[in-house]
Amino acid sequence: MIYILDTANLAAIKHCNEFYPLSGVTTNPSIIAKANTDFWPLVEEIRAIIGPDKMLHIQTTQKNAEDIVAEAKLIKERVGGEFYVKIPIGEEGLKATMQLKKLGIGVTMTAIFTPTQALMAAMAGADFVAPYVNRLDNIIGDGCEVVAEIVSQLENYGSPCKVLAASFKNAEQVHKCASVGCHSVTVTDDILKMLISHPMTDAAIAGFDKDWHGVYGDKTIKDF
Ligand code: E4P
């Protein structure tokens, strides 16, 4: 599983990059707008935190293929490293993807809600497709089922495109996606934390501490 952090909050990125096996950061225009600060210093700081080898996915704000390609080149030039331009699925986006593929610029095709969109994006050369799990669940669409179908279709056609499931609102959605072989997920820091939290784990650790301290007090192993 490839874990990516879905935020532009620098404190959260710093924390999660240190404590979790993170492969990168994704943003979209809403996430950037939430940070409400200058665009370039923000994305350059994200790159500085995660380093050049981790993935940085930044979404284009352009609508036609030529402008999308130009913007992707500009962002890649400025942020460097492992960069993927996020492009919403559509005719112009597909045209841009085919051009970017030739230029060697990574593409994540986003705002995916159906397997037919995902397969078309993959055939155009997208490196990742990003289905929106929770937004599908919100309309009784079963986001995880859509992810499962996309994973299986990409496998059937031998596509190297990976599924980057997105738009999660709880840990169970991530768990279900992992169960159907989803290659990667992008989640908030809250969800990352939920994925490793369990009250039984807390109780087990409390029990170990109580038993140890009951016999050895404050001594640690190095004190013996
Ligand atoms: C990926 O980066 C998507 O843009 C994002 O996960 C969408 O999440 P939302 O449905 O919470 O806005």
Side-chain angles (χ1 to χ4, degrees), residues 208-209 211-213 215-224:
F208 296 142
D209 285 346
D211 293 345
W212 176 275
H213 293 307
V215 173
Y216 301 117
D218 287 339
K219 263 189 178 176
T220 66
I221 289 172
K222 73 173 165 30
D223 299 321
F224 284 90

Side-chain angles (χ1 to χ4, degrees), residues 6 26-28 31 59 86 110 132 135 166-169 186:
D6 201 23
T26 51
T27 66
N28 64 33
I31 288 171
Q59 192 163 323
K86 286 176 70 185
T110 193
Y132 284 12
R135 294 196 199 192
S167 175
F168 290 101
K169 288 295 167 285
T186 185

Side-chain angles (χ1 to χ4, degrees), residues 65-170:
E66 285 65 36
D67 294 337
I68 293 171
V69 170
E71 195 167 73
K73 283 176 168 171
L74 173 69
I75 306 172
K76 185 176 171 63
E77 214 173 276
R78 289 289 291 261
V79 299
E82 270 292 296
F83 167 69
Y84 294 82
V85 60
K86 286 176 70 185
I87 308 175
I89 179 78
E91 289 182 348
E92 296 287 339
L94 289 170
K95 182 177 170 185
T97 299
M98 291 185 278
Q99 291 178 15
L100 288 162
K101 174 95 182 159
K102 289 186 189 139
L103 296 170
I105 297 181
V107 173
T108 296
M109 192 132 265
T110 193
I112 297 283
F113 288 87
T114 69
T116 57
Q117 291 177 321
L119 192 56
M120 194 70 79
M123 293 306 131
D127 300 277
F128 290 93
V129 285
Y132 284 12
V133 175
N134 190 66
R135 294 196 199 192
L136 278 161
D137 285 355
N138 280 348
I139 55 162
I140 333 286
D142 198 339
C144 180
E145 190 52 44
V146 171
V147 166
E149 205 182 322
I150 295 171
V151 168
S152 129
Q153 290 197 6
L154 294 181
E155 267 168 28
N156 288 345
Y157 286 99
S159 170
C161 180
K162 291 187 170 68
V163 179
L164 172 56
S167 175
F168 290 101
K169 288 295 167 285
N170 62 64

